[in-house]
């Protein structure tokens, strides 16, 4: 979702309770490969919004790609079961799963990082009656700086070879 920034958008950002995401439905029985059938199967994941062109025109039958609206507390199932006369299992693939918090019911962070302090990058972790700060792990790799010399009029930077036996 892309919109020009304004102060009103910032105010409403925390009020977003649903997001549209694309899903892939695989192993869909041919009998359900209709607009109503695919809508029914997609509704087991979220609120169906639209299908991509190849799904609509049935030019790609290996999977159906459907945009569904999911709530903030969505349970992303790998398989959905359809009960239309008999039990049918349809595999679901999520190319992107939005981060969501089960504590504050907002998108944008997981419940592990709920209440993150932006100034320090530390997140509060609740312990036995006291608050403990858990620092984000940082890994630094230090590399030795090569000696650079500039020779002549070239745009290429040349590195002097070093003698490993010195």
């Amino acid at each position: 979702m892309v919109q020009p920034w304004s102060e009103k958008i910032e105010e409403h950002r925390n009020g977003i309770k649903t997001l549209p995401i694309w899903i892939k439905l695989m192993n869909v029985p041919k009998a359900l490969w209709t607009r109503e059938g695919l809508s029914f199967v997609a509704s087991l994941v979220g609120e169906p919004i639209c299908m991509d062109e190849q799904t609509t025109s049935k030019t790609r039958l290996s999977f159906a790609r459907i945009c569904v609206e999911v709530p903030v507390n969505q349970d992303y199932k790998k398989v959905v079961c359809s009960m239309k006369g008999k039990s049918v299992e349809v595999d679901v693939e999520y190319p992107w799963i939005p981060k969501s918090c089960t504590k504050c019911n907002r998108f944008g962070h997981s419940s592990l990082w709920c209440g993150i302090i932006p100034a320090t990058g530390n997140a509060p972790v609740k312990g036995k009656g006291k608050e403990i700060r858990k620092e984000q792990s940082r890994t630094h790799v230090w590399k030795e700086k090569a000696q650079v010399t500039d020779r002549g009029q070239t745009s290429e930077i040349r590195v002097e070879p070093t003698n490993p036996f010195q």
Side-chain angles (χ1 to χ4, degrees), residues 3-16 106:
Q3 294 180 356
W5 183 87
S6 72
E7 289 181 21
K8 286 191 175 201
I9 288 177
E10 197 64 32
E11 292 170 6
H12 296 293
R13 186 177 73 158
N14 293 332
I16 297 173
R106 293 183 183 166

Side-chain angles (χ1 to χ4, degrees), residues 19-24 42 46-52 64-70:
L19 278 180
I21 64 168
W22 286 95
I23 61 170
K24 284 183 178 180
E47 183 70 29
I49 298 172
C50 64
M51 297 184 277
D52 71 347
R65 190 165 176 258
I66 301 176
C67 183
V68 295
E69 194 172 52
V70 295

Side-chain angles (χ1 to χ4, degrees), residues 55-74:
T55 302
T56 305
S57 63
K58 299 177 186 166
T59 56
R60 177 197 57 233
L61 298 176
S62 56
F63 64 89
R65 190 165 176 258
I66 301 176
C67 183
V68 295
E69 194 172 52
V70 295
V72 70
N73 55 358
Q74 175 73 13

Side-chain angles (χ1 to χ4, degrees), residues 1 3 10 13 15 17 32 48 54 70 75 79 117 119 129 131 139-140 146:
M1 298 172 54
Q3 294 180 356
E10 197 64 32
R13 186 177 73 158
K17 298 299 178 198
L32 292 176
Q54 292 175 323
V70 295
D75 180 25
V79 176
I117 302 167
E131 195 174 277
T139 56
H140 295 284

Side-chain angles (χ1 to χ4, degrees), residues 81-153:
C81 296
S82 170
M83 302 297 232
K84 261 197 162 177
K86 63 177 186 172
S87 180
V88 176
E89 290 186 357
V90 176
D91 297 323
V92 183
E93 185 180 306
Y94 303 91
W96 174 70
I97 296 176
K99 289 183 181 181
S100 61
C101 179
T102 55
K103 291 180 182 177
C104 65
N105 282 330
R106 293 183 183 166
F107 287 107
H109 64 276
S110 67
S111 55
L112 178 66
W113 293 104
C114 189
I116 194 161
I117 302 167
T120 63
N122 298 336
V125 177
K126 294 185 178 165
K128 297 179 181 176
K130 60 183 176 180
E131 195 174 277
I132 304 167
R133 302 254 180 237
K134 180 181 171 186
E135 296 213 9
Q136 292 177 337
S137 64
R138 296 182 182 141
T139 56
H140 295 284
V141 179
W142 295 96
K143 294 182 181 178
E144 189 175 321
K145 188 175 180 180
Q147 295 177 351
V148 178
T149 59
D150 189 18
R151 293 185 183 161
Q153 294 186 3

